[in-house]
């Protein structure tokens, strides 16, 4: 079992390495016009900016990233902000970015990675940061997928859904994008600052009502959505995808050539996802990627990867599997509001926990995995291409 734990970690790390943001930008930046301004935002922002500054030394550069990934970078102004819940530092960073875009004269290079949606909160209209934070809290516990959440977020922001382009105009924008969204819909990554909006205010209202969230919104948010005018046409931009979840899953497969790769991304509710993974897991090694959802019903700590790992342990026990090891983790090294990336579980995990059903009912997956000694702690990886999973099954 010890060797299998080391092996699933090795395969996972191959997937993370394939999403290295420095290499991704380095390989793409020669095809980019010399910019007058570089703006990097997201969990991978610092590494992406570092690569761009090798090619474009001396260009003004603003970097906005999460606290775990922040550090000084020669030639850049680096700003830290809250994720997954927006904070005042993010609001200040958004104002700095908007001011730079409004003033720029010449091409702009945008470096965009996952997490950018929360890191650059620029409330639209009469909205405040507190209003947006309340909406974000509701969305994170709603069970909505990332595309639906970003559709709603875009309607409340001055930068999302193409707002970045409006502030940069008439300057041309080239964006190098590291995708954390399954399917690589560019309008959903970081809520699409350099891409047209996913949907309309009317669609956002319908989603919020269908999921029972509408009445819980601050009145000013409801009024903003109800009174929203149709957006004007967007300036054009050149958007280039430089990394993705699919690329990382393929790299895990390359690291374990005999492995079976689950072709369909693992999405949806964690309980359903656990069954799907176990349905497709072979005797031997199986790898997959995706991004699941969790409906928050309790007050515990955890994240979708930690809960999915535990659901897989439950499902494997129901099937009578006796010798297996599974790693499920976020490629960014952070799962929910915890210091864990996810978990490494096996056939003995449930026996080390005790009353798992009670803990899961309270969404307390972190406590459950900690009791089992099965938390995966990697520290922040500096990249973000959604979630990765590996299972070795022997019996």
């Amino acid at each position: 079992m010890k060797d299998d734990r080391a092996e699933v970690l090795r395969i996972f790390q191959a997937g993370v390495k394939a999403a290295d943001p420095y290499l991704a930008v380095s390989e793409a930046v020669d095809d980019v016009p010399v910019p007058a301004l570089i703006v990097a935002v997201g969990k991978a922002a610092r590494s992406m900016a570092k690569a761009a500054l090798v090619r474009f030394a001396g260009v003004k550069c603003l970097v906005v990233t999460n606290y775990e990934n922040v550090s000084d970078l020669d030639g850049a102004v680096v700003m830290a902000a809250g994720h997954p819940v927006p904070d005042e530092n993010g609001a200040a960073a958004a104002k700095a970015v908007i001011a730079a875009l409004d003033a720029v004269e010449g091409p702009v290079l945008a470096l965009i990675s996952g997490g950018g949606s929360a890191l650059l909160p620029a409330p639209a209209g009469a909205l405040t940061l507190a209003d947006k934070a309340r909406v974000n809290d509701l969305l994170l516990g709603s069970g909505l997928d990332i595309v639906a959440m970003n559709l709603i977020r875009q309607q409340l922001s001055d930068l999302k859904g193409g707002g970045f382009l409006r502030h940069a105009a008439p300057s041309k924008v080239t964006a190098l994008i590291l995708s954390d969204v399954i399917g690589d819909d560019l309008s959903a990554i970081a809520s699409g600052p350099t891409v047209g909006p996913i949907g309309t205010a009317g669609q956002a209202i319908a989603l919020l009502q269908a999921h029972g969230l509408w009445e819980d919104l601050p009145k000013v948010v409801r009024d903003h959505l109800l009174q929203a005018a149709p957006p004007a046409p967007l300036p054009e931009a050149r958007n280039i995808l430089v990394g993705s979840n699919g690329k990382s899953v393929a790299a895990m497969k390359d690291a374990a050539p005999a492995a079976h790769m689950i072709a369909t991304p693992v999405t949806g509710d964690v309980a359903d996802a656990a069954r799907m993974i176990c349905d497709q897991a072979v005797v031997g090694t199986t790898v997959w990627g995706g991004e699941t959802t969790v409906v928050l019903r309790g007050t515990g700590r955890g994240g979708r990867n930690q809960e999915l790992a535990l659901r897989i342990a439950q499902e494997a026990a129901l099937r009578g599997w006796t010798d297996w090891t599974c790693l499920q983790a976020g490629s960014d090294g952070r799962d929910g509001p915890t210091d864990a990336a996810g978990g490494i579980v096996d056939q003995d995990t449930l026996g080390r926990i005790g009353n798992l059903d009670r803990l899961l009912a309270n969404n307390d997956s972190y406590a459950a995995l900690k009791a089992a000694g099965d938390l995966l702690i990697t520290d922040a990886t500096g990249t973000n291409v959604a979630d990765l999973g590996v299972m070795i099954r022997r019996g």
Side-chain angles (χ1 to χ4, degrees):
M1 291 307 300
K2 184 177 180 180
D3 289 342
D4 284 349
R5 286 185 165 240
E7 179 65 1
V8 295
L9 182 58
R10 181 190 72 82
I11 295 169
F12 167 73
Q13 289 171 335
V16 172
K17 183 178 180 180
D20 185 302
Y22 184 92
L23 294 178
V25 170
S26 296
E27 291 170 0
V29 78
D30 284 343
D31 194 32
V32 172
V34 177
L37 172 67
I38 300 170
V39 177
V41 59
K43 294 183 178 179
R46 187 191 178 282
S47 292
M48 295 178 82
K50 183 178 180 180
L53 287 171
V54 171
R55 175 72 173 80
F56 302 122
V59 173
K60 180 178 180 179
C61 181
L62 302 181
V63 177
V64 185
T65 194
N66 56 319
Y67 295 113
E68 293 87 352
N69 286 322
V70 73
S71 61
D72 291 341
L73 175 62
D74 287 345
V77 176
V78 182
M79 295 169 279
H83 183 280
V85 178
D87 64 9
E88 292 291 346
N89 285 337
K95 289 179 181 178
V97 168
I98 288 171
L101 292 173
D102 287 343
V104 71
E105 296 182 0
V108 177
L109 174 59
L111 306 172
I112 298 169
S113 56
S117 185
L119 291 167
L120 275 187
L127 302 179
T128 67
L129 182 60
D131 297 326
K132 291 196 67 175
R134 173 59 180 154
V135 174
N136 208 52
D137 285 344
L138 289 170
L139 294 178
L140 290 173
S142 68
L144 287 167
D145 65 27
I146 187 65
V147 175
M149 286 194 286
N150 283 346
L151 186 156
I152 294 164
R153 287 165 171 160
Q154 286 177 348
Q155 307 305 317
L156 311 178
S157 174
D158 194 31
L159 281 172
K160 299 173 175 56
F164 187 108
L165 300 180
R166 298 186 195 281
H167 283 287
S171 296
K172 299 295 185 183
V173 175
T174 300
L176 304 183
I177 302 173
L178 188 69
S179 173
D180 67 331
V181 173
I182 304 309
D184 303 327
D185 180 352
L186 299 186
S187 65
I189 302 163
S191 293
T194 62
V195 187
I198 302 168
T200 64
Q203 289 172 312
I205 291 169
L207 275 170
L208 290 161
Q209 290 175 336
H211 286 78
L213 303 175
W214 179 252
E215 295 300 328
D216 292 329
L217 294 173
K219 183 178 183 299
V220 67
V221 174
R222 297 198 302 270
D223 289 345
H224 175 82
L225 291 171
L226 289 168
Q227 297 165 11
L234 273 180
E236 291 186 6
R238 183 181 179 210
N239 292 294
I240 303 168
L241 185 69
V242 297
S244 68
N245 185 259
K247 181 178 178 179
S248 287
V249 176
M252 293 196 300
K253 164 73 172 168
D254 289 344
H260 166 64
M261 183 172 68
I262 297 178
T264 303
V266 176
T267 59
D269 180 76
V270 286
D272 296 334
R275 286 189 289 272
M276 189 272 274
I277 290 166
C278 290
D279 283 344
Q280 298 199 40
V282 300
V283 174
T285 302
T286 304
V287 298
W288 62 88
E291 184 170 271
T292 56
T293 56
V294 175
V295 177
L296 295 182
R297 299 184 177 89
T299 59
R301 294 177 65 222
R304 61 179 182 264
N305 287 285
Q306 294 165 69
E307 185 154 335
L308 178 54
L310 291 165
R311 300 283 183 181
I312 289 170
Q314 287 183 316
E315 188 65 27
L318 287 174
R319 296 171 188 234
W321 295 356
T322 58
D323 189 354
W324 59 274
T325 303
C326 177
L327 180 153
Q328 177 65 46
S331 61
D332 60 354
R334 286 292 182 271
D335 186 38
T338 76
D339 60 353
I344 302 181
V345 293
D346 58 37
Q347 71 281 342
D348 297 321
T349 293
L350 300 184
R352 294 193 290 264
I353 294 173
N355 191 346
L356 177 57
D357 289 338
R358 178 182 59 79
L359 291 167
L360 287 178
N362 194 40
N363 296 114
D364 213 357
S365 54
Y366 184 92
L369 286 167
K370 185 175 182 180
D374 288 345
L375 284 169
L376 175 62
I377 308 289
T378 65
D379 293 328
T381 63
T383 191
N384 186 22
V385 290
D387 304 332
L388 302 171
V390 188
M391 179 182 288
I392 296 175
R393 181 184 162 206
R394 302 192 185 279

